[in-house]
Amino acid sequence: QGQLAESGGGLAQAGGSLRLSCAAPVDIFSVNLVAWYRQPPGQQREFVASIATGGYTKYADSVKGRFTVSRDSAKNTAYMQMNDLKPEDTAVYFCHTSPLDDLWGQGTQVTVSS
């Protein structure tokens, strides 16, 4: 789909943690908003969290207090730390940059078992 590459997904138990990464070939995170979306099975893609160029973060109510977004421009990588995972967090997770570089990654599967 684009030039972003997500990684870090996998299988976790409820209450566990995972850290997703979103890598770019060059530094685009310092000049773009980085957002994370997810698509649960059989559902529409939904907003999860974002971090703006100035560091302002925004979270969906469903993940507030459990997920934390960050970025490391020196490594051309953005992250989403996911703690206290719940079965309803099961989804394919995507990262997206905008507005200067409108890019999506291919997605990474997160499965949380109860």
Side-chain angles (χ1 to χ4, degrees), residues 89-109:
D89 294 321
T90 294
V92 179
Y93 284 73
F94 301 86
C95 59
H96 175 245
T97 57
S98 64
L100 297 180
D101 299 279
D102 185 6
L103 299 174
W104 289 91
Q106 81 290 346
T108 185
Q109 176 71 47

Side-chain angles (χ1 to χ4, degrees), residues 6-10 18-22 36-37 77-82 93-94 108-110:
E6 300 98 337
S7 61
L18 288 172
R19 188 177 79 157
L20 303 185
S21 298
C22 174
W36 291 88
Y37 291 81
T77 304
Y79 305 96
M80 184 162 68
Q81 177 68 41
M82 306 187 298
Y93 284 73
F94 301 86
T108 185
Q109 176 71 47
V110 171

Side-chain angles (χ1 to χ4, degrees), residues 4 14 17 33 48 54 61 64 74 80 82 87 93 107 110:
L4 302 178
S17 298
L33 177 81
V48 178
D61 288 343
K64 203 170 293 182
M80 184 162 68
M82 306 187 298
Y93 284 73
V110 171

Side-chain angles (χ1 to χ4, degrees), residues 52-97:
T53 55
Y56 175 78
T57 56
K58 183 178 179 180
Y59 299 92
D61 288 343
S62 59
V63 307
K64 203 170 293 182
R66 300 188 297 122
F67 291 10
T68 303
V69 292
S70 61
R71 64 174 185 267
D72 186 338
S73 296
K75 296 183 178 179
N76 302 335
T77 304
Y79 305 96
M80 184 162 68
Q81 177 68 41
M82 306 187 298
N83 298 329
D84 190 23
L85 285 163
K86 302 178 179 182
E88 51 264 42
D89 294 321
T90 294
V92 179
Y93 284 73
F94 301 86
C95 59
H96 175 245
T97 57

